[in-house]
Amino acid sequence: MNVKKQSIFLILLAALLVGFIGAYTAVKVTEPNTNTEQKQDQVGKTKDNTEESAELSTEVPEDMTKVTQAYNLIQEHYVEDVDEKELLEGAIQGMLETLDDPYSTYMDVESMENFNEQIESSFEGIGAEVSMVNGQVTIIAPIKDSPAEHASLKPNDQILSIDDEDLKGLDLNEAVEKIRGEKGSEVTLEIKRPGVSDPFNVVVTRDKIPLETVYSDLQTIDGKKTGILELTSFSETTADDFAKELEKLEAKNIEGLVIDVRGNPGGLLDAVEEIMEHFITKDQPYVQIEDKSGDKQPYFSSLSEEKEYPINVLIDEGSASASEILAVAMKETDHEIIGETSFGKGTVQQAVPLGDGSTIKLTFFKWLSPKGTWIHEDGVEPTIEKKQPDYYYTNPVQLDKTLEFDDTNEDIKNVQIMLIGLGYETDRKDGFFDKDTEKSVQSFQEDHDLKVTGKIDEKTAGSIEAEIIDKIRNGEDDQQLEEALDVLYK
Amino acid sequence: MNVKKQSIFLILLAALLVGFIGAYTAVKVTEPNTNTEQKQDQVGKTKDNTEESAELSTEVPEDMTKVTQAYNLIQEHYVEDVDEKELLEGAIQGMLETLDDPYSTYMDVESMENFNEQIESSFEGIGAEVSMVNGQVTIIAPIKDSPAEHASLKPNDQILSIDDEDLKGLDLNEAVEKIRGEKGSEVTLEIKRPGVSDPFNVVVTRDKIPLETVYSDLQTIDGKKTGILELTSFSETTADDFAKELEKLEAKNIEGLVIDVRGNPGGLLDAVEEIMEHFITKDQPYVQIEDKSGDKQPYFSSLSEEKEYPINVLIDEGSASASEILAVAMKETDHEIIGETSFGKGTVQQAVPLGDGSTIKLTFFKWLSPKGTWIHEDGVEPTIEKKQPDYYYTNPVQLDKTLEFDDTNEDIKNVQIMLIGLGYETDRKDGFFDKDTEKSVQSFQEDHDLKVTGKIDEKTAGSIEAEIIDKIRNGEDDQQLEEALDVLYK
């Protein structure tokens, strides 16, 4: 069960996640056909399109002379050596930037590989979810049946070095890049394990790691069997996995369903289309696609009857793109949407290869809700607004020095909110370290076998953070999900 | 006298100034000749160079095909309308960005006009120094003999609207753009003047405004007449103005000189070269210029004898480029350099017109100190480190709400430092609003005919800020200058 994975990322990896949203919702959500009947030909058709544009594109427009002049000037006269390939890639990136559209991007060969891993829902590596905790790359959890699990890596293991290379000064992305590698290759991790005095080495053989995008759960609410399906992104396997899990739940005679797309940054339009086929009847479009000329093309399912059981959808500000297509279609067909206003991405990109392994993702279309609303930049508003407890929204604490009574800053504010979340009440949560905060810190330290100083040092802060992460992971305080279950049969 | 103008900008217009540094130090510091003997031909020679590169530049490199493909793809398929000119400018900007050099930039026709105004030390407008105070565009001072002064605009006048257009939501740059305009044109400013109940309109006829870059002052230190020459930038008129002011001071028999380039972002290499001719003898180069191939060309003055009086130089982190060329040459010829480590820009740009009014400023050269040091990114370290009082480094306060006892945030920290600077001691300056801070606020309010609440509301904050600005303007507490004068005869 991993229903709360997204939340942990939200709280811990704010920076990383933002990068991820940027990249991933930008993803070729799909190549929507203007002809809905030719669905089977879609991939083939796209290829044709691409070649068409590639052919068109070699005509040199007259104004390009100015760009050529600039290119030659830089090459000949810039004080440092110039990488010609980078220069040309810069030109393409520069053109895309003028569009003022974060979803139209250039991807070099390397970016395309990462992109394909996301789309294909698999990557080659050791199969561990890692995060930056107190400045240390830390294993949150090994993925089930992965090399990391087989090598007995444990949650909270800190990775000190990779193949004898110290990780100090690297950010999480850089560290992850070093851990990843081709299937079959070996990597040596130096591990510091809590409770074990000396660091030790673990050798892991990398393998292909499937990325699950659908997580299913079954709960009994008011005596009724209730399914919960969480979608973490819309990749090539998502629609099939969703169908299988839904079938399993229905075989168990569920009487209600919650679809959770919180923190889901989107993905392939195909995937969300197939999923909507289960729920949105042919009486209205499930989405409309608008092209450059303003023509709107409605897309319909072949579904005659709605599900008999109630269904609602969980969203938050991390739900983007394909997640919003689903959420707004469900909303406009009178389902409850619970949570927070979603991200607001109302465009569809197409990936156009440039022939040398690089690709331009370009915004070709807008998508509109069944009723024709463009949610871009506005997001989808929930029908029932519900936030998580405050501590879900705290940031990791980066201590420069031990914090104590009479200090005041943002870190203290975060710690106060975390302490309250863990049941250690403090009368302030504005970042001023008062006597009451000191008492709460002392209580926490007593309960966790820490030296009772009433001061927030690195160890205490790390311990408070670890508790918060555990609490979010366990999902014991997921008030949005509780609300969604609560209103399902009302 | 305006010796302190820079400091005011430093404290008030941090954001604007950063932009300005970016733009202005990027300026074609000059077109240094590889042949030092042909100095007179410099401008002519540059033109030739430029045309040469323009000729070369129309050869289309093969890889440009990829850029052309991207251009055509975007034009044909991007969901919104595309401005072709912008697209091509984006391509040029994108190429320049790959250089990772903030000083290599593309300037469109409009940017070039602004750039030329800076170089030529004049612009067309109303002639008032303005700033953003409490979210209002506010006149700091009308320039002497300017249309603004003739129209009786006063310091602290707030500009509410320009030609009936409300300024709300505009930043300072956008507002300034609206106030500026061609010589002879009229602009109507709606003015709110402190102490006058209703706003009123003032019509100003724009004119050509000279920008002074040299300010001279004479003080008696230890009974010795001492000249102070402040340079605010290095423009076309700066070297001549400097020579004239220096001559005037020497005619008054000064016994020492302080050259103040604090906050001076640089400008034309020619200008600083001419100024160095007064001080750096022919016994060592005053600067060395290194080209793409690594060849170093030393430049020499024709000066035989040093000045008989002592000279030192004032720098701070706003002193960049040409200012640093001067400072490091003076430092390496055994003059005292007082203040803070300078900005650190060790490159020389050349402006290359593209034929359509737009221009590429490209880094052609590095400049090295007389002894061959490249100060890029390091800056010039003073021989005598001296900071200004803390309040020089405070930021403008932007109140969301009235601040009072027991609150804690960055704004309070700024106000505490300002209060201390104005002689209202507070025992904390960390942003926590304690009883002692409340007392100081009350004292300030009493002394300034404000309602005595002990709370920081907009009026109180504005009044505190205005006092600080006045204090900095008056230069009564310029500890760097005091230090420079202090050590001059030691």
Side-chain angles (χ1 to χ4, degrees):
Chain A
M1 232 289 287
N2 197 344
V3 176
K4 290 286 71 58
K5 198 161 82 171
Q6 252 51 45
S7 310
I8 293 158
F9 277 97
L10 257 182
I11 192 175
L12 267 192
L13 306 181
L16 184 65
L17 193 65
V18 167
F20 185 65
I21 287 186
Y24 197 55
T25 60
V27 155
K28 172 195 73 160
V29 172
T30 191
E31 43 274 8
N33 260 287
T34 43
N35 186 341
T36 44
E37 278 132 50
Q38 292 192 345
K39 217 143 191 216
Q40 305 315 316
D41 297 348
Q42 202 155 322
V43 175
K45 183 132 194 292
T46 307
K47 274 208 180 127
D48 291 351
N49 277 342
T50 307
E51 278 157 24
E52 227 170 71
S53 29
E55 264 171 56
L56 284 168
S57 61
T58 46
E59 285 174 40
V60 181
E62 203 184 316
D63 286 344
M64 198 59 94
T65 314
K66 193 168 149 181
V67 179
T68 309
Q69 281 185 329
Y71 175 83
N72 289 331
L73 173 70
I74 293 167
Q75 261 219 324
E76 280 165 40
H77 292 290
Y78 182 62
V79 68
E80 305 276 6
D81 287 337
V82 173
D83 180 331
E84 293 158 39
K85 195 163 155 274
E86 253 185 55
L87 217 53
L88 295 166
E89 291 186 341
I92 296 173
Q93 260 157 350
M95 287 194 286
L96 290 167
E97 265 163 37
T98 64
L99 304 178
D100 212 15
D101 171 26
Y103 308 111
S104 291
T105 57
Y106 171 78
M107 292 192 294
D108 59 20
V109 179
E110 208 174 84
S111 312
M112 265 315 284
E113 280 166 11
N114 287 333
F115 173 69
N116 287 332
E117 282 180 354
Q118 288 170 348
I119 291 296
E120 290 162 11
S121 273
S122 75
F123 64 95
E124 301 190 351
I126 67 165
E129 200 184 315
V130 295
S131 175
M132 195 63 91
V133 178
N134 290 327
Q136 283 290 349
V137 178
T138 302
I139 293 182
I140 299 296
I143 291 170
K144 219 185 141 190
D145 208 31
S146 68
E149 197 183 63
H150 296 159
S152 297
L153 290 173
K154 303 266 180 258
N156 298 319
D157 279 356
Q158 294 180 345
I159 304 174
L160 303 182
S161 72
I162 298 167
D163 288 338
D164 284 333
E165 198 181 331
D166 202 307
L167 295 191
K168 278 216 184 83
L170 297 190
D171 65 28
L172 189 58
N173 279 318
E174 291 165 336
V176 166
E177 215 160 282
K178 293 205 179 297
I179 301 172
R180 282 202 180 178
E182 271 178 46
K183 179 177 165 171
S185 65
E186 283 188 350
V187 60
T188 303
L189 306 179
E190 188 192 3
I191 296 293
K192 170 96 191 69
R193 180 165 296 168
V196 179
S197 52
D198 289 325
F200 53 92
N201 281 344
V202 176
V203 179
V204 191
T205 307
R206 299 181 182 104
D207 201 349
K208 183 157 184 153
I209 311 294
L211 277 175
E212 295 298 330
T213 60
V214 181
Y215 296 88
S216 173
D217 194 20
L218 186 67
Q219 294 195 16
T220 305
I221 305 296
D222 297 341
K224 293 171 178 159
K225 280 190 190 161
T226 307
I228 302 167
L229 285 175
E230 186 198 13
L231 301 172
T232 59
S233 75
F234 293 88
S235 71
E236 284 177 1
T237 59
T238 305
D240 281 354
D241 289 350
F242 183 88
K244 275 179 218 152
E245 296 297 337
L246 182 61
E247 204 177 321
K248 281 190 214 163
L249 288 171
E250 287 181 341
K252 290 174 186 163
N253 296 313
I254 51 166
E255 295 176 77
L257 179 68
V258 173
I259 302 172
D260 183 357
V261 290
R262 287 177 296 173
N264 180 330
L268 299 167
L269 183 54
D270 281 5
V272 69
E273 283 181 307
E274 280 186 53
I275 287 167
M276 288 191 293
E277 293 260 356
H278 296 285
F279 307 110
I280 312 288
T281 62
K282 60 184 178 189
D283 306 325
Q284 67 278 301
Y286 55 73
V287 73
Q288 301 187 50
I289 303 290
E290 182 178 328
D291 65 16
K292 190 182 177 76
S293 66
D295 288 341
K296 288 167 200 165
Q297 176 77 40
Y299 283 62
F300 294 90
S301 78
S302 52
L303 186 70
S304 315
E305 298 282 336
E306 282 201 346
K307 297 284 184 194
E308 281 170 8
Y309 49 79
I311 304 165
N312 57 28
V313 178
L314 270 168
I315 58 170
D316 65 13
E317 68 282 348
S319 307
S321 199
S323 293
E324 295 176 295
I325 293 177
L326 175 69
V328 76
M330 294 299 278
K331 182 177 172 179
E332 291 186 358
T333 51
D334 298 325
H335 297 86
E336 297 288 4
I337 312 297
I338 294 98
E340 296 157 271
T341 299
S342 63
F343 184 81
K345 174 176 180 277
T347 55
V348 180
Q349 285 68 43
Q350 183 144 349
V352 182
L354 295 180
D356 63 348
S358 67
T359 294
I360 288 179
K361 272 191 298 144
L362 190 71
T363 299
F364 274 56
F365 307 100
K366 299 176 182 179
W367 67 261
L368 313 177
S369 76
K371 290 183 176 164
T373 304
W374 195 42
I375 59 92
H376 200 64
E377 290 183 355
D378 297 329
V380 180
E381 269 182 51
T383 58
I384 299 173
E385 172 112 28
K386 184 77 188 171
K387 293 198 78 174
Q388 296 286 43
D390 285 347
Y391 65 82
Y392 272 75
Y393 307 95
T394 50
N395 298 314
V397 177
Q398 300 283 3
L399 290 189
D400 298 327
K401 61 176 191 79
T402 296
L403 300 168
E404 56 184 64
F405 173 68
D406 207 39
D407 285 345
T408 181
N409 70 28
E410 276 295 305
D411 282 335
I412 297 168
K413 188 172 170 174
N414 275 308
V415 172
Q416 285 169 330
I417 294 168
M418 290 185 199
L419 282 169
I420 294 168
L422 296 171
Y424 299 89
E425 283 304 321
T426 62
D427 58 358
R428 311 184 67 125
K429 48 179 180 178
D430 64 351
F432 179 69
F433 202 135
D434 63 353
K435 279 290 166 194
D436 203 58
T437 303
E438 193 175 66
K439 263 187 229 159
S440 295
V441 173
Q442 284 168 345
S443 307
F444 179 90
Q445 288 170 329
E446 271 167 32
D447 295 351
H448 294 79
D449 289 332
L450 295 164
K451 205 174 153 196
V452 180
T453 59
K455 298 177 185 181
I456 305 171
D457 53 19
E458 245 181 69
K459 211 163 176 183
T460 302
S463 185
I464 292 172
E465 255 175 21
E467 288 275 306
I468 282 289
I469 294 166
D470 268 1
K471 188 159 180 171
I472 293 174
R473 268 190 95 75
N474 295 339
E476 60 189 74
D477 202 13
D478 183 347
Q479 297 185 1
Q480 290 173 337
L481 176 60
E482 280 169 30
E483 179 76 16
L485 293 168
D486 218 42
V487 300
L488 190 58
Y489 301 110
K490 282 185 181 148
Chain B
M1 232 290 288
N2 197 348
V3 176
K4 291 286 70 56
K5 198 160 83 172
Q6 251 51 44
S7 309
I8 294 159
F9 277 97
L10 257 183
I11 190 172
L12 268 189
L13 307 181
L16 183 65
L17 192 64
V18 168
F20 184 65
I21 286 185
Y24 197 55
T25 59
V27 155
K28 172 196 75 161
V29 172
T30 192
E31 44 274 5
N33 261 285
T34 43
N35 186 340
T36 44
E37 276 131 54
Q38 290 191 346
K39 216 144 187 211
Q40 305 314 315
D41 295 350
Q42 200 157 325
V43 175
K45 182 128 194 294
T46 309
K47 273 205 179 129
D48 291 350
N49 276 343
T50 310
E51 276 156 26
E52 224 169 74
S53 30
E55 264 171 55
L56 284 168
S57 61
T58 46
E59 282 174 41
V60 182
E62 203 184 316
D63 287 342
M64 197 59 96
T65 316
K66 192 167 149 182
V67 179
T68 308
Q69 281 183 330
Y71 175 83
N72 289 331
L73 173 72
I74 294 167
Q75 259 218 325
E76 279 164 40
H77 292 291
Y78 182 63
V79 67
E80 307 275 5
D81 287 338
V82 173
D83 181 330
E84 294 157 39
K85 198 166 152 273
E86 252 184 56
L87 217 52
L88 294 167
E89 291 186 340
I92 296 173
Q93 261 156 350
M95 287 193 288
L96 290 168
E97 266 163 37
T98 65
L99 304 178
D100 212 14
D101 170 25
Y103 309 111
S104 289
T105 56
Y106 170 78
M107 293 191 293
D108 59 21
V109 179
E110 211 174 83
S111 311
M112 266 313 285
E113 280 166 10
N114 288 333
F115 173 68
N116 287 332
E117 281 179 354
Q118 288 171 348
I119 291 295
E120 290 162 11
S121 273
S122 73
F123 64 93
E124 301 191 350
I126 68 167
E129 198 185 319
V130 296
S131 175
M132 195 64 91
V133 179
N134 291 326
Q136 284 289 347
V137 177
T138 303
I139 292 181
I140 298 295
I143 290 170
K144 218 184 143 193
D145 208 30
S146 70
E149 195 183 65
H150 296 158
S152 296
L153 290 173
K154 304 265 181 256
N156 297 320
D157 280 356
Q158 294 180 345
I159 304 175
L160 304 182
S161 72
I162 298 167
D163 289 337
D164 284 335
E165 198 181 329
D166 203 309
L167 295 192
K168 279 214 184 83
L170 297 191
D171 66 28
L172 189 59
N173 279 319
E174 292 165 336
V176 165
E177 213 161 283
K178 293 204 180 299
I179 301 172
R180 283 203 180 177
E182 272 178 45
K183 179 178 165 169
S185 64
E186 283 188 350
V187 60
T188 303
L189 306 179
E190 189 191 3
I191 296 292
K192 172 93 190 70
R193 180 165 294 167
V196 179
S197 51
D198 291 323
F200 54 92
N201 282 343
V202 176
V203 180
V204 190
T205 307
R206 298 181 182 103
D207 202 349
K208 184 156 186 154
I209 312 293
L211 278 175
E212 295 297 329
T213 60
V214 181
Y215 296 89
S216 172
D217 192 22
L218 186 67
Q219 292 194 17
T220 306
I221 305 296
D222 296 339
K224 292 174 179 157
K225 279 190 192 163
T226 307
I228 302 166
L229 285 175
E230 185 198 15
L231 301 173
T232 60
S233 75
F234 293 88
S235 72
E236 285 178 359
T237 59
T238 304
D240 281 354
D241 290 350
F242 183 88
K244 273 179 218 152
E245 296 297 336
L246 182 62
E247 202 177 326
K248 279 189 214 164
L249 288 171
E250 288 181 341
K252 289 174 186 162
N253 297 312
I254 51 167
E255 295 174 77
L257 178 67
V258 174
I259 302 173
D260 182 357
V261 291
R262 288 176 297 171
N264 180 331
L268 299 168
L269 182 54
D270 280 3
V272 70
E273 283 181 307
E274 280 186 52
I275 287 167
M276 287 190 295
E277 294 259 356
H278 297 285
F279 307 110
I280 312 290
T281 61
K282 60 185 177 189
D283 306 324
Q284 66 279 302
Y286 53 75
V287 74
Q288 301 188 50
I289 302 291
E290 181 179 330
D291 65 17
K292 191 183 177 77
S293 66
D295 288 340
K296 290 168 199 163
Q297 175 76 40
Y299 284 60
F300 293 90
S301 79
S302 52
L303 186 69
S304 317
E305 297 282 334
E306 283 201 346
K307 297 285 183 192
E308 280 169 9
Y309 48 79
I311 305 167
N312 58 28
V313 179
L314 270 168
I315 58 170
D316 65 14
E317 67 284 348
S319 307
S321 199
S323 293
E324 295 175 295
I325 293 177
L326 175 67
V328 77
M330 294 298 278
K331 182 177 172 180
E332 292 187 356
T333 51
D334 298 325
H335 298 87
E336 298 287 3
I337 311 296
I338 295 100
E340 297 156 271
T341 299
S342 63
F343 185 82
K345 174 178 180 275
T347 55
V348 179
Q349 285 67 43
Q350 182 144 348
V352 182
L354 295 179
D356 63 349
S358 68
T359 294
I360 288 179
K361 271 190 298 145
L362 190 70
T363 299
F364 274 55
F365 307 99
K366 299 176 181 177
W367 68 260
L368 313 176
S369 75
K371 291 184 177 165
T373 305
W374 195 40
I375 59 92
H376 200 64
E377 291 183 355
D378 296 328
V380 180
E381 271 182 50
T383 57
I384 299 173
E385 174 112 28
K386 184 75 188 172
K387 293 197 77 171
Q388 295 287 42
D390 285 348
Y391 65 83
Y392 271 75
Y393 307 94
T394 50
N395 297 314
V397 177
Q398 301 283 2
L399 290 189
D400 297 328
K401 61 177 190 76
T402 296
L403 300 168
E404 56 184 59
F405 173 69
D406 207 36
D407 286 344
T408 181
N409 69 29
E410 276 295 306
D411 283 335
I412 296 168
K413 188 172 170 174
N414 275 306
V415 171
Q416 284 169 331
I417 294 167
M418 290 186 200
L419 282 169
I420 294 168
L422 295 171
Y424 299 90
E425 283 304 322
T426 61
D427 56 359
R428 310 183 66 123
K429 48 180 182 178
D430 64 352
F432 179 67
F433 201 135
D434 64 353
K435 279 289 165 195
D436 203 59
T437 303
E438 194 174 66
K439 262 187 227 158
S440 294
V441 173
Q442 284 169 345
S443 306
F444 180 89
Q445 288 170 329
E446 270 167 30
D447 294 349
H448 293 79
D449 288 333
L450 295 163
K451 207 174 153 196
V452 180
T453 59
K455 298 177 183 178
I456 304 171
D457 52 18
E458 244 180 71
K459 213 165 172 180
T460 302
S463 185
I464 291 171
E465 255 175 19
E467 288 275 305
I468 283 289
I469 294 166
D470 269 2
K471 187 159 179 171
I472 294 174
R473 267 190 97 73
N474 296 337
E476 58 188 76
D477 203 13
D478 183 346
Q479 296 184 2
Q480 289 173 336
L481 177 59
E482 279 168 31
E483 180 76 14
L485 293 168
D486 220 40
V487 300
L488 192 57
Y489 301 109
K490 278 179 185 155

